[in-house]
Amino acid sequence: MTQIPTTTPAQASAPATVPSTTRISRLRAPEPGWTAYADTVVVGSGIAGLTAALAARHAGSVLLVTKAQRSDGSTRWAQGGIAAALGLGDTPEAHLKDTLVAGAGLCDPEAVRILVTEGPAAVRNLLINRGAEFDRRSDGSIALGREGGHHADRILHAGGDATGAEVSRTLLARLDQLMDEIEVIDHALALDLLTDPSGRAAGLTLHVMGEGARDGVGAVRARAVVLATGGLGQVFNATTNPSVATGDGVAMALRAGARVADLEFVQFHPTVLWLGPSARGQLPLISEAVRGEGAFLVDAAGERFMTGLHELADLAPRDIVAKAIRRRALEAGLDHLWLDARHFGEDKWRGRFPTIWESLHEHGIDPVRELIPVAPAEHYASGGVLTDLWGRTSIPGLYACGETACTGVHGANRLASNSLLEGLVFADRIGRDLVRAFGPDGDPAPGEPAPDRRPQVLYAPSVRAETQQTMSEGAGVLRSAASLAITLDTLGSLTEPAGPEPCAEAWEATNLQQVAAVMAEAAARREETRGSHWREDFPAADDARWRVRQIAQATADGVRIEERAVPDDADTVL
């Protein structure tokens, strides 16, 4: 049986600390009007949150909190698939190598090893054996595809391009079978962490948007808190993330004093449907799997420009493709280029990519006869709340998983279709650690929550749009010292207070502004180009100076940014 270490998690060793002028204050909110109790409270209902809740029930009572409806997690939007070394001739070692290459020298090799070795069994036991219907070949075997950065066919799909929806359906069906063991509160926005006098997590405050026995601001007292709130794509104008992806978990962790890491590494998906210069919010994704099936990028002259830029051409890692699109578009004075998949024909489009086919036609594009206009847009945050290999953060009793977490798997750039696998593997590990933590030789139970007398802040809802515009202009795909200085200065001025009555829109705007400020500061400090972080004024990677991870922590004196050297992956073997 695997032994779970009990040393203090996610601690930085001999860090270089840099002071910051950024201040992170707790949210202004009414005092809780009601209280609920559970051994574990899980925030979020995507693949990570649902898996964590299902696993945590083996340790005790579970309360699952979700911002919208439980079926509205970000997972259902995932088109590409889930990566696992299940095919003939493929190996976890090959998957590990591809992941490390994509991560551009900043992956935690041990975290990647866990991902690729535990991943195949997790897919079988936690998805297939629960009824997930992945696409199969005529002989009944699972049809495995290939996406950018992979050197083998190892991507499982469902419904052609509806993998996330099938994964979500499978886990929600299992949740429905266990409603007597897992309580769910829908339409609830998590606000701030509760801690006891020793600093241990003791629950959280939240606002339930509805009427009933529990409405308005309340508190959940718990022995453990699991943050699985998804991404932070709404920090930018254009994103593939849903409107609820406002970085709530990362912001909550920052305000509680937890360490967050690698926030500068934001992946911009290279092929998002371009709907014009004024398009905002969630935009349709053209999955990497489309290029995996043979589609290719072309410029204004109709020329393929990825050939010769990388050995994998149009299937190069996403950061390379996104940069190439942006560079070629800028050279031509354009804000988008095109994807050519006309040779697929209607049958292949309808059979393999039905969701994308419908989306394109809804926007007046026939991919059999026309080129598809595409441009990079925010897609995935490789950074997040820093965890150890069991999902534990720097605050005892606080866990994180999925896109909210930073396990070290992704490094400077996530390998395509690794995110669903990471959410599955590390959320399940949290459940196993909770069994240990709640056992007779486990962790101490938290005491009564300590009064929080820190300053409170709440920004006006209008700060959301201003933050998005500021980040898109100065901290998006193209970054420089000049653009980031303007970004930080502008973000510091976005402090218009909300009205006397707090509301969900104001809490979300405040979360976005706080996360954006730390992200921009980390990006300004990293004076190199690496992975998904592209500095125009420092176009090359600088291993001698910057093969480190930046770890931020909010204190009473401002945000501290520490640096941690990355273990050498040269000797990583399975």
Side-chain angles (χ1 to χ4, degrees), residues 357-507:
W357 168 268
E358 292 180 9
S359 176
L360 290 172
H361 278 268
E362 287 174 2
H363 291 95
I365 299 168
D366 183 351
V368 176
R369 295 173 176 82
E370 303 172 70
L371 299 176
I372 304 169
V374 294
E378 195 281 340
H379 183 56
Y380 190 87
S382 294
V385 185
L386 182 64
T387 72
D388 67 4
L389 301 176
W390 295 95
R392 298 175 294 202
T393 74
S394 57
I395 295 178
L398 177 65
Y399 295 77
C401 53
E403 192 171 353
T404 305
C406 183
T407 62
V409 159
H410 304 306
N413 190 39
R414 176 179 68 94
L415 181 65
S417 291
N418 267 356
S419 54
L420 291 179
L421 188 67
E422 182 201 29
L424 193 69
V425 168
F426 286 91
D428 189 61
R429 288 175 71 85
I430 287 175
R432 284 182 273 159
D433 189 64
L434 290 173
V435 171
R436 175 205 61 79
F438 295 170
D441 299 320
D443 301 337
E448 289 292 317
D452 192 341
R453 298 185 176 86
R454 294 175 298 160
Q456 296 181 328
V457 69
L458 189 65
Y459 299 137
S462 60
V463 167
R464 177 177 183 145
E466 294 174 297
T467 296
Q468 292 170 330
Q469 186 67 25
T470 299
M471 290 295 289
S472 296
E473 291 177 351
V477 177
L478 304 177
R479 297 171 174 177
S480 68
S483 74
L484 290 164
I486 294 171
T487 298
L488 284 166
D489 184 62
T490 304
L491 289 173
S493 69
L494 298 182
T495 57
E496 179 185 351
E501 293 296 325
C503 61
E505 293 79 9
W507 284 316

Side-chain angles (χ1 to χ4, degrees), residues 22-28 192 251-252 254-256 452 454-459 510-511 513-514 554-556 559:
T22 301
R23 296 288 189 273
I24 303 294
S25 300
R26 70 187 180 106
L27 292 177
R28 175 164 62 85
D192 272 319
M252 179 191 292
L254 273 169
R255 289 192 294 268
D452 192 341
R454 294 175 298 160
Q456 296 181 328
V457 69
L458 189 65
Y459 299 137
T510 307
N511 285 341
Q513 193 273 353
Q514 292 181 338
T555 71
V559 173

Side-chain angles (χ1 to χ4, degrees), residues 489-542:
D489 184 62
T490 304
L491 289 173
S493 69
L494 298 182
T495 57
E496 179 185 351
E501 293 296 325
C503 61
E505 293 79 9
W507 284 316
E508 287 185 330
T510 307
N511 285 341
L512 287 172
Q513 193 273 353
Q514 292 181 338
V515 170
V518 179
M519 180 190 298
E521 185 150 0
R525 291 194 67 249
R526 183 174 287 277
E527 295 179 334
E528 66 161 356
T529 288
R530 182 185 297 273
S532 56
H533 172 68
W534 182 17
R535 285 287 295 264
E536 292 182 282
D537 46 351
F538 294 94
D542 182 358

Side-chain angles (χ1 to χ4, degrees), residues 534-558:
W534 182 17
R535 285 287 295 264
E536 292 182 282
D537 46 351
F538 294 94
D542 182 358
D543 280 353
R545 170 64 184 90
W546 284 109
R547 195 160 179 265
V548 297
R549 301 174 68 189
Q550 294 192 95
I551 300 167
Q553 183 177 28
T555 71
D557 299 322

Side-chain angles (χ1 to χ4, degrees), residues 120-395:
V123 169
R124 292 190 188 96
N125 297 332
L126 304 180
L127 293 178
I128 296 174
N129 290 351
R130 286 173 171 169
E133 295 288 345
F134 291 107
D135 296 341
R136 294 181 180 271
R137 294 190 170 89
S138 57
D139 63 1
S141 63
I142 292 177
L144 298 172
R146 188 177 305 199
E147 296 178 4
H150 293 272
H151 285 76
D153 295 340
R154 65 169 67 101
I155 315 301
L156 295 86
H157 299 98
D161 57 0
T163 309
E166 176 61 13
V167 168
S168 183
R169 182 203 65 78
T170 300
L171 296 175
L172 286 168
R174 182 59 176 151
L175 177 69
D176 288 342
Q177 296 171 350
L178 299 168
M179 291 303 289
D180 57 335
E181 298 181 50
I182 302 174
E183 182 182 359
V184 179
I185 300 180
D186 291 314
H187 302 289
L189 173 62
L191 299 177
D192 272 319
L193 189 72
L194 297 173
T195 56
D196 69 8
S198 72
R200 175 174 291 275
L204 52 79
T205 57
L206 71 168
H207 177 257
V208 178
M209 297 168 278
E211 297 182 0
R214 292 173 180 161
D215 65 304
V217 174
V220 176
R221 296 284 306 280
R223 296 181 64 181
V225 176
V226 181
L227 299 178
T229 59
L232 43 78
Q234 293 296 323
V235 162
F236 297 91
N237 271 338
T239 178
T240 62
N241 290 188
S243 61
V244 294
T246 51
D248 303 335
V250 176
M252 179 191 292
L254 273 169
R255 289 192 294 268
R259 291 185 171 97
V260 303
D262 300 342
L263 284 189
E264 68 269 37
F265 296 112
V266 178
Q267 188 176 82
F268 290 80
H269 198 288
T271 53
V272 174
L273 185 62
W274 185 79
L275 296 178
S278 61
R280 297 288 185 271
Q282 185 180 14
L283 300 177
L285 172 69
I286 310 299
S287 168
E288 199 144 24
V290 175
R291 281 177 284 133
E293 292 289 335
F296 52 87
L297 291 157
V298 296
D299 61 16
E303 295 181 358
R304 296 185 64 172
F305 56 90
M306 286 305 301
T307 304
L309 291 180
H310 190 276
E311 62 166 330
L312 295 175
D314 294 271
L315 285 175
R318 288 174 176 174
D319 63 303
I320 293 172
V321 180
K323 292 170 190 176
I325 291 174
R326 187 62 72 193
R327 285 192 183 109
R328 186 59 65 101
L330 286 173
E331 290 170 359
L334 301 171
D335 43 20
H336 70 285
L337 293 180
W338 293 267
L339 188 67
D340 191 345
R342 292 174 292 182
H343 57 287
F344 281 11
E346 183 171 337
D347 289 345
K348 181 170 182 175
W349 265 112
R350 286 182 176 276
R352 179 67 178 83
F353 303 108
T355 306
I356 300 175
W357 168 268
E358 292 180 9
S359 176
L360 290 172
H361 278 268
E362 287 174 2
H363 291 95
I365 299 168
D366 183 351
V368 176
R369 295 173 176 82
E370 303 172 70
L371 299 176
I372 304 169
V374 294
E378 195 281 340
H379 183 56
Y380 190 87
S382 294
V385 185
L386 182 64
T387 72
D388 67 4
L389 301 176
W390 295 95
R392 298 175 294 202
T393 74
S394 57
I395 295 178

